Amino acid sequence: MSISRRKFLGWIGAAGASATLAKPARAAGGKHFEGYPDTDGVLFDVVKCIGCRRCEAGCNKVNDLPEPEVPFDDLTVLEEKRRTHADTYTIVNKYEAARQKSPLYRKVQCNHCLEPACASACFVRAFTKTETGAVIYDASVCVGCRYCMIACPFEIPTYEYDKAFTPRIMKCTMCYPRIKEGLLPGCVEACPTEALTFGKRKDLVKLARERIYRHPERYEDHIYGENEMGGTNWLYLSPVPFSEIGMREDLGTTSAPELTAGALGAVPMVVGLWPVLLTGIYAMNKRKEKIARQEREAAVASAVSETEANARENLDKALEKAETDKEKAVETAVKKALEDAAKEAEKKESEEDS
């Protein structure tokens, strides 16, 4: 008996309803978390960035990432807009702003949200917001669902599609191991113009406000990351509206967990349904295998029966032919013997007459 897709989905829906009635689901992002106090952060000043890509090289070095196809001292890559990849935690892009005589450069990496969207969307808790402010990832518990990639408003997490058996989600960790040892993040250490400043987030906010206050003609009166998506540990200053350097200004100030709490309420239920779903799929596959085996056995039996029937038919024909051939052979032999006897008699008669 075949099972239609509609019927199968109906079974899953019924199981889901039962599971929901049996145990209320709790949203994965339902608990509001406002970040750890006194966390670290980085302030990126667009005014000071010269687009040298030293930060990319520093990140590559301390994280043991593979060498890029285009060397770090080749700035022609800045002519195209790039994004981070599984083997590239940070990149620099160039922008031509309307009121600026020279190009502007912006560094792109994980912003380490105070309330991370990636962690909010992850139902196995592969992402963790640490006490330093860094958002880190645990590949050992990741199931590869890639909800984090969809959830991130900054499009940062990337996936190792080229590793079929051990793929991971890859992104900037704010050099968490180095911070724990009292060292600077690789990009900050490598920056030659101090466009990147590492420190306590609260101090960086004060520093940014001081720069805006002292040089209002140089900076927009906006610290990006102070409130966006509930705030981030990576902060930005810019001489132009942030939309002109490719940054989203439509995110608002509501954190990701608050926005996704309702939708993520279904996640535990879905996780609970996995055994039901997998059991159903297993049963369907086993039934399919059983039917396939029965069909193979029936096909083999039919083939054997047909072969035996053909063999019997061929044998009967062979015996019939042999019998016919035998009769013809006897008839031919008798005819020849009679002819030979007649010839012998004629020969004797001729001899007697002479």
Side-chain angles (χ1 to χ4, degrees):
M1 178 183 69
S2 62
I3 300 175
S4 68
R5 179 175 178 270
R6 183 185 297 272
K7 182 179 291 187
F8 175 70
L9 292 176
W11 288 351
I12 296 301
S18 299
T20 303
L21 292 173
K23 184 177 181 180
R26 292 183 299 170
K31 184 178 180 181
H32 186 65
F33 173 68
E34 297 183 351
Y36 291 101
D38 203 31
T39 56
D40 298 316
V42 176
L43 173 63
F44 173 65
D45 192 333
V46 174
V47 173
K48 295 187 176 185
C49 182
I50 59 175
C52 64
R53 298 183 66 198
R54 297 280 186 85
C55 56
E56 293 184 27
C59 175
N60 183 279
K61 180 180 178 180
V62 301
N63 288 292
D64 296 322
L65 298 174
E67 291 295 319
E69 294 182 5
V70 180
F72 291 115
D73 58 358
D74 186 343
L75 302 185
T76 60
V77 296
L78 299 176
E79 300 304 319
E80 296 183 3
K81 294 296 181 292
R82 299 177 295 152
R83 63 156 296 175
T84 58
H85 291 287
D87 56 358
T88 307
Y89 290 174
T90 187
I91 56 95
V92 175
N93 280 331
K94 181 172 76 170
Y95 299 89
E96 301 290 346
R99 293 176 295 173
Q100 297 292 312
K101 296 181 180 179
S102 302
L104 297 176
Y105 302 94
R106 176 173 69 91
K107 183 178 181 297
V108 182
Q109 74 296 304
C110 175
N111 287 320
H112 300 276
C113 303
L114 297 183
E115 301 178 71
C118 55
S120 172
C122 183
F123 59 85
V124 295
R125 299 182 181 178
F127 287 92
T128 303
K129 179 70 174 179
T130 68
E131 71 284 355
T132 68
V135 178
I136 60 174
Y137 163 78
D138 183 358
S140 67
V141 298
C142 180
V143 297
C145 68
R146 285 161 281 180
Y147 290 165
C148 55
M149 296 173 63
I150 299 172
C152 178
F154 305 108
E155 299 181 348
I156 293 300
T158 56
Y159 193 69
E160 292 182 313
Y161 289 101
D162 58 334
K163 296 185 178 180
F165 298 105
T166 57
R168 296 170 295 172
I169 295 291
M170 306 296 283
K171 73 170 196 68
C172 159
T173 65
M174 205 195 292
C175 289
Y176 177 69
R178 290 174 59 85
I179 293 175
K180 294 289 286 183
E181 294 177 9
L183 301 174
L184 290 173
C187 59
V188 177
E189 188 175 69
C191 182
T193 64
E194 296 185 353
L196 295 167
T197 304
F198 177 79
K200 296 299 179 182
R201 184 179 185 273
K202 60 182 181 181
D203 295 333
L204 296 176
V205 171
K206 292 179 182 178
L207 174 62
R209 286 178 181 157
E210 183 179 350
R211 288 183 185 179
I212 294 172
Y213 175 76
R214 290 188 175 184
H215 303 283
E217 77 289 351
R218 185 183 302 176
Y219 296 102
E220 283 286 306
D221 188 10
H222 181 186
I223 305 171
Y224 195 99
E226 182 179 12
N227 298 305
E228 275 76 12
M229 293 297 295
T232 64
N233 282 82
W234 209 280
L235 305 170
Y236 299 80
L237 283 178
S238 172
V240 298
F242 288 96
S243 59
E244 293 188 29
I245 55 172
M247 300 181 73
R248 295 182 61 179
E249 291 191 295
D250 61 337
L251 298 175
T253 60
T254 305
S255 65
E258 288 185 76
L259 292 172
T260 59
L264 291 174
V267 171
M269 182 188 73
V270 172
V271 175
L273 283 177
W274 272 116
V276 177
L277 175 62
L278 296 177
T279 300
I281 293 174
Y282 177 77
M284 291 173 66
N285 286 337
K286 293 299 290 184
R287 177 174 176 77
K288 183 177 179 181
E289 291 174 3
K290 181 179 179 181
I291 292 173
R293 184 173 64 253
Q294 291 174 344
E295 290 177 348
R296 286 197 300 270
E297 292 174 353
V300 171
S302 176
V304 170
S305 178
E306 183 178 353
T307 301
E308 290 178 349
N310 290 336
R312 284 195 298 270
E313 183 179 356
N314 291 336
L315 178 60
D316 292 341
K317 288 180 179 179
L319 292 173
E320 183 178 352
K321 186 176 183 300
E323 187 65 26
T324 301
D325 292 344
K326 179 180 178 181
E327 291 178 356
K328 288 182 178 180
V330 171
E331 182 179 347
T332 300
V334 171
K335 182 178 180 181
K336 186 176 185 305
L338 292 174
E339 289 175 353
D340 291 343
K343 288 179 181 179
E344 186 66 27
E346 289 178 0
K347 181 179 179 181
K348 287 183 179 180
E349 184 178 348
S350 176
E351 289 176 353
E352 289 177 355
D353 290 341
S354 61

